[in-house]
Amino acid sequence: MDIKDVPQDKRETTHASDIKKLMYAVGKDGQYTGVNYEGWEPENIVLAQTWEDIDENLKLVLAQVKAGELSPIAYFMHKSLMDTTLLASYAGKWKWQVKRHFKPSVFNSLSADMLEKYARIFNITVDELKNFGKGK
Amino acid sequence: MSNKEYKHFQHAHCESGVSSNLLKHEGIELSEPMAFGIGAGLFFGHLPFVKINGAPGTTYRIWPGAIVKRVASRLNIKIHSERFRDPAKAMKALDDVLAQGKPVGMLGSVFYLPYLPEAFRFHFNAHNFVAYGKEGRDYLISDPVMEIVTKIAPEDLVKARFAKGTPEPKGFMYYVTETPKEMDMRSAIEKGIKQMCYFMMAPPIPWFGNKGIFLLANQIKNYPRKLEPRRASLYLGNVIRMQEEIGTGGAGFRYLYAAFLQEAGQLLKNDELLKFSEELTKIGDNWRNFAYRAARIMKDRKSELVSYDELSDLLKQCGTDEKALFLRLQKIKL
């Protein structure tokens, strides 16, 4: 690619994305050199769509937590961009156990240790975890 | 204790960038393209049955740690590398090396690096960066994809180094212990080229190397036939994201490798390498075109078969052109 063709398409994302990466391109003299670029439309589209999907999904999960169908664990798992496999390995549990913890009734009976563990994984306090979705 | 000031240079790809920066610190001028080429960083793999973040896994590079290791062995540089079970021991080991004034390369998850913009922070565990000192509790970080140096709190660093998932970094860290008086660049370049071609052309299984590109092309053709539109779009998006987002996979790697072939050609005064470089640049443009078209499909939320068919053909063309190039390149005598 020619240096003059290096795209500078600004990213428009709802999440911070301000970084000027480097790519290699060919200058007038035919010499390869590193060039900073703001962004490239296809990259930006994919990035925006990835986040759109994540945010949409998160909204659905939030509604289910508020409706008492899912526990806060499900919400924070999605918020942390994890799936049950990844969360299970962080929690040191089996996948089916983590899935059980999505049930509000099971969540309410979790031990203090387990709650502490989840809170640490999600980088929040135990209170935030326990009281999430209540009120409002 | 060496008090030499660490200098940060921005690069296109993390592991070749870290290799270049660590070596520069030791007084060895090795550009990022050279590190990428000698380390035979270019690779391809597509594993439809391994799901990462809900989509089939695609990789455009050799496994983490391989570039550093190969560069070191081909240039007779001694590098100490280590993995850990215990996070506390891993942080202590890091502190000890930093106290000697040595910059340390590390593997970690992008998700736990708060200095990166949020939109890029996914659970991607094979990111390389350098710690070059401490300021109070914080670690001074030189991340090759960033324009400038930055800092990270120990709590975040330990999370990044001990992230779970695939692959697990397990606190992997590495630093230069000994540099040679002389280096045989000719032999290192030749070995790097031959190995890359071998890894691309030799695997007899469909998932790896050049064959994997054709496998992916066939899979893409079937996405709209087998998957509901949303999932087809998600799978496609993941291919492009792995290609262009995280560490400049597809086209970016072709340009990076073309830059290596050019630099090698000029160093060794070999016109053949220069021609290969130009050829690969054109192939890189085609990879870019593939990404461009894929993103259009996603944006327009198209799911008709014909657009996926076209896309599959574009990718096959990349695979065919590369096959022709690598088969000739692997016979080169330097």
Side-chain angles (χ1 to χ4, degrees):
Chain A
M1 168 182 297
D2 274 10
I3 285 189
K4 61 174 172 32
D5 296 330
V6 171
Q8 303 290 349
D9 307 333
K10 218 172 168 38
R11 294 183 198 101
E12 280 165 34
T13 45
T14 42
H15 301 258
S17 64
D18 193 25
I19 188 171
K20 276 190 182 167
K21 293 194 287 186
L22 191 88
M23 67 176 291
Y24 288 87
V26 182
K28 264 197 188 136
D29 51 357
Q31 217 36 49
Y32 258 105
T33 175
V35 191
N36 283 101
Y37 71 105
E38 282 223 25
W40 184 42
E41 196 201 345
E43 262 184 43
N44 302 353
I45 290 172
V46 174
L47 193 65
Q49 211 162 81
T50 305
W51 280 103
E52 225 173 80
D53 273 355
I54 293 169
D55 292 340
E56 246 170 62
N57 197 14
L58 197 59
K59 252 190 230 159
L60 290 177
V61 177
L62 177 62
Q64 283 174 293
V65 174
K66 285 193 169 163
E69 294 160 17
L70 283 174
S71 80
I73 305 274
Y75 175 82
F76 284 107
M77 178 184 86
H78 282 99
K79 180 136 180 72
S80 308
L81 311 183
M82 293 182 184
D83 54 19
T84 39
T85 313
L86 190 57
L87 179 56
S89 61
Y90 272 108
K93 295 274 160 195
W94 299 100
K95 246 164 88 168
W96 62 266
Q97 290 175 300
V98 168
K99 279 189 190 154
R100 258 187 90 237
H101 298 167
F102 290 171
K103 284 189 193 166
S105 57
V106 177
F107 174 73
N108 289 332
S109 63
L110 282 181
S111 71
D113 277 359
M114 200 59 229
L115 286 172
E116 175 73 44
K117 205 173 204 174
Y118 275 124
R120 223 178 308 133
I121 294 168
F122 300 136
N123 209 7
I124 50 174
T125 64
V126 173
D127 279 345
E128 277 174 276
L129 180 62
K130 268 167 58 182
N131 298 322
F132 183 79
K134 286 182 187 158
K136 270 185 262 176
Chain B
M1 178 169 163
S2 103
N3 281 316
K4 205 165 131 200
E5 202 189 329
Y6 176 83
K7 275 208 187 94
H8 169 80
F9 297 90
Q10 190 185 15
H11 295 289
H13 169 244
C14 63
E15 189 172 331
S16 48
V18 163
S19 306
S20 173
N21 281 348
L22 286 182
L23 292 177
K24 272 197 182 122
H25 183 79
E26 304 293 335
I28 297 175
E29 282 296 325
L30 193 76
S31 69
E32 177 189 23
M34 271 292 176
F36 189 71
I38 292 174
L42 195 62
F43 187 56
F44 188 84
H46 181 68
L47 300 167
F49 44 84
V50 178
K51 298 280 194 291
I52 296 173
N53 291 326
T58 309
T59 180
Y60 293 84
R61 49 157 301 172
I62 204 69
W63 49 84
I67 297 178
V68 173
K69 217 170 129 186
R70 292 166 175 179
V71 166
S73 87
R74 284 181 189 145
L75 294 174
N76 281 322
I77 298 160
K78 291 220 167 72
I79 287 192
H80 177 83
S81 66
E82 213 172 339
R83 279 175 206 275
F84 300 86
R85 273 176 171 278
D86 178 5
K89 273 191 189 141
M91 295 307 273
K92 167 87 170 54
L94 172 63
D95 286 349
D96 289 347
V97 183
L98 288 177
Q100 297 163 29
K102 277 238 178 260
V104 180
M106 263 173 294
L107 211 53
S109 166
V110 171
F111 187 78
Y112 297 104
L113 302 174
Y115 60 79
L116 290 173
E118 194 197 355
F120 294 102
R121 285 168 51 203
F122 297 97
H123 292 277
F124 175 73
N125 286 354
H127 187 59
N128 287 269
F129 50 93
V130 173
Y132 65 96
K134 282 182 92 168
E135 199 179 278
R137 301 176 65 243
D138 289 349
Y139 290 83
L140 302 172
I141 299 292
S142 149
D143 189 316
V145 304
M146 302 265 294
E147 293 170 83
I148 48 166
V149 292
T150 181
K151 282 184 224 170
I152 191 170
E155 300 80 28
D156 292 318
L157 183 58
V158 82
K159 275 188 186 166
R161 295 181 70 193
F162 283 88
K164 306 270 190 197
T166 347
E168 285 187 11
K170 294 200 165 81
F172 186 68
M173 67 175 219
Y174 48 95
Y175 52 92
V176 180
T177 52
E178 238 181 280
T179 53
K181 289 212 170 60
E182 270 171 53
M183 298 187 303
D184 185 352
M185 290 298 280
R186 186 176 299 270
S187 134
I189 288 167
E190 185 171 307
K191 281 183 186 147
I193 289 176
K194 297 246 144 112
Q195 186 178 38
M196 187 280 288
C197 291
Y198 180 77
F199 271 69
M200 276 293 199
M201 302 315 303
I205 42 177
W207 307 290
F208 296 110
N210 185 262
K211 287 195 186 78
I213 296 173
F214 292 93
L215 172 72
L216 175 60
N218 287 330
Q219 295 274 335
I220 286 177
K221 207 181 177 76
N222 284 327
Y223 283 171
R225 291 175 175 88
K226 278 190 180 161
L227 307 165
E228 43 149 348
R230 193 186 148 92
R231 190 149 286 262
S233 178
L234 178 85
Y235 278 22
L236 196 57
N238 194 57
V239 171
I240 304 307
R241 203 149 61 80
M242 292 311 283
Q243 181 180 328
E244 300 302 333
E245 205 56 68
I246 311 167
T248 62
F253 274 4
R254 270 68 195 174
Y255 297 144
L256 181 53
Y257 202 86
F260 156 68
L261 290 173
Q262 183 180 66
E263 200 181 325
Q266 285 163 355
L267 182 76
L268 305 176
K269 304 202 168 37
N270 183 315
D271 288 344
E272 241 184 309
L273 285 176
L274 298 181
K275 283 213 190 79
F276 280 127
S277 169
E278 281 173 28
E279 211 177 307
L280 190 57
T281 302
K282 290 208 184 85
I283 295 175
D285 293 343
N286 289 338
W287 275 96
R288 243 176 125 73
N289 190 27
F290 164 74
Y292 181 80
R293 298 285 285 275
R296 293 311 315 179
I297 292 180
M298 289 180 67
K299 191 174 185 190
D300 303 342
R301 308 231 177 232
K302 277 190 202 156
S303 56
E304 70 247 41
L305 305 177
V306 57
S307 43
Y308 278 82
D309 283 354
E310 276 171 16
L311 204 57
S312 169
D313 291 343
L314 279 177
L315 189 56
K316 273 186 192 154
Q317 193 59 49
C318 292
T320 307
D321 294 347
E322 277 186 18
K323 187 174 172 184
L325 187 151
F326 294 155
L327 286 175
R328 279 178 287 130
L329 181 62
Q330 72 180 354
K331 291 198 193 104
I332 202 166
K333 295 222 162 50
L334 297 174

